[in-house]
């Protein structure tokens, strides 16, 4: 169940073109089913295949334009990787308790960074989408606090690496987050103090609200220059989407 949002976060999503939002809703609903089917098959030992072409194409110019409107392109954003002026922006909505998010971080993100972001053609912007409950919200607050130290990516990798251990055996999650942060080179005590900042909680809520208004109901979910990709799909699905976006940007 999605966590309800009680604050008004302004016009950034609600004023996107209705046709684009509606198209996203339809794409995301279908892609969620495709992603679930593919992920279940992979967990059962079957070969995961890319979805049919119809699930990832048909992106309109209006959707592309609206997707660009969602890209923050803030040069000081500590939760982004890649050139601020990169022609393609991948927006990732993720929950730290989601094993498929971990799969994407482990298997796909490094190649996209190496082959596209490092070459200046792709920017990855992270959004917190803690829809799996209170622990997810706490972990996302930790990410926002890590960003205050300009150590978001160190926290990001450390938490996903320790995903199976965090919260096990009845341990105190805040204690474990502080320890994980220290091990990753952050100031764990400061991070824990910053997690109590209402402004950081508001930033996490804003990310969640943005995704919900787009129709996202599960993680991981992505927009690549407005083209939705749902789930930890094979690398080829992402490279094909990025290549399509690059080709359109060059026109």
């Amino acid at each position: 169940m999605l966590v309800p949002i009680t604050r008004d976060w302004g016009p950034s999503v609600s004023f996107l073109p209705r046709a684009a939002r509606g198209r996203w809703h339809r794409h995301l609903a279908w892609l969620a089913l495709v992603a679930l089917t593919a992920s279940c098959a992979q967990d059962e030992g079957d070969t995961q295949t890319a979805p049919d072409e119809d699930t990832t194409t048909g992106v309109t110019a209006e959707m592309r334009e609206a997707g660009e409107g969602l890209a923050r392109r803030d040069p000081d954003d500590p939760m982004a990787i890649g050139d601020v002026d990169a022609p393609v922006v991948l927006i990732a909505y993720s929950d730290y308790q989601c094993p498929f998010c971990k799969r994407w971080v482990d298997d796909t993100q490094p190649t996209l960074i190496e082959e596209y972001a490092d070459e200046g053609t792709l920017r990855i912007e992270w959004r917190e989408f803690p829809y799996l409950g209170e622990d997810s919200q706490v972990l996302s607050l930790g990410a926002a606090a890590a960003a205050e130290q300009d150590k978001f990516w160190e926290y990001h990798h450390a938490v996903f690496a320790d995903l199976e251990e965090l919260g096990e055996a009845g341990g105190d999650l805040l204690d474990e987050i502080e320890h994980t942060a220290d091990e990753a080179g952050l100031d764990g005590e400061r991070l824990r103090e910053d997690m109590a900042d209402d402004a950081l909680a508001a930033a996490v809520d804003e990310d969640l609200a943005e995704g919900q208004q787009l129709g996202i109901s599960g993680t991981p979910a992505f927009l690549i220059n407005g083209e939705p990709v749902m789930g930890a799909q094979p690398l080829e699905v992402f490279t094909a989407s990025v290549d399509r976006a690059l080709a359109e940007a060059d026109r």
Side-chain angles (χ1 to χ4, degrees), residues 62-246:
E62 189 175 36
M63 290 170 69
R64 293 288 192 197
E65 182 180 358
E68 175 60 30
L70 283 172
R72 294 170 184 171
R73 293 189 181 274
D74 179 356
D76 297 321
D77 184 357
M79 300 171 71
I81 287 179
D83 291 351
V84 69
D85 294 323
V88 179
V89 177
L90 181 155
I91 303 173
Y93 298 87
S94 175
D95 185 308
Y96 281 107
Q97 292 196 107
C98 169
F100 300 112
C101 296
K102 173 177 170 57
R103 178 184 295 173
W104 188 84
V105 167
D106 290 344
D107 297 344
T108 303
Q109 180 178 264
T111 302
L112 293 178
I113 291 173
E114 179 181 357
E115 295 186 1
Y116 293 95
D118 289 349
E119 298 300 317
T121 56
L122 175 68
R123 179 175 175 84
I124 298 175
E125 296 187 353
W126 207 260
R127 304 285 194 270
E128 298 300 320
F129 197 81
Y131 79 110
L132 290 174
E134 183 177 350
D135 284 355
S136 293
Q137 292 185 333
V138 172
L139 289 165
S140 284
L141 279 173
E148 292 293 294
Q149 299 183 37
D150 201 22
K151 295 280 189 178
F152 166 78
W153 293 102
E154 289 85 347
Y155 175 94
H156 167 91
H157 290 296
V159 168
F160 276 120
D162 293 345
L163 185 61
E164 293 182 359
E165 290 77 25
L166 284 168
E168 278 189 347
D172 183 272
L173 183 57
L174 285 174
D175 286 344
E176 294 178 22
I177 288 174
E178 183 176 343
H179 175 73
T180 296
D182 283 331
E183 290 291 308
L186 288 78
D187 182 337
E189 183 177 356
R190 176 190 165 189
L191 180 135
R192 186 166 182 164
E193 292 173 355
D194 286 346
M195 288 173 66
D197 186 342
D198 288 343
L200 298 190
V204 170
D205 282 354
E206 183 175 7
D207 281 357
L208 181 59
E210 178 182 285
Q212 286 179 318
Q213 290 183 56
L214 293 174
I216 293 170
S217 59
T219 57
F222 309 89
L223 290 177
I224 303 174
N225 274 22
E227 178 175 336
V229 177
M230 191 67 195
Q233 299 291 336
L235 172 64
E236 292 78 10
V237 173
F238 290 91
T239 57
S241 178
V242 172
D243 289 342
R244 280 192 293 273
L246 283 171

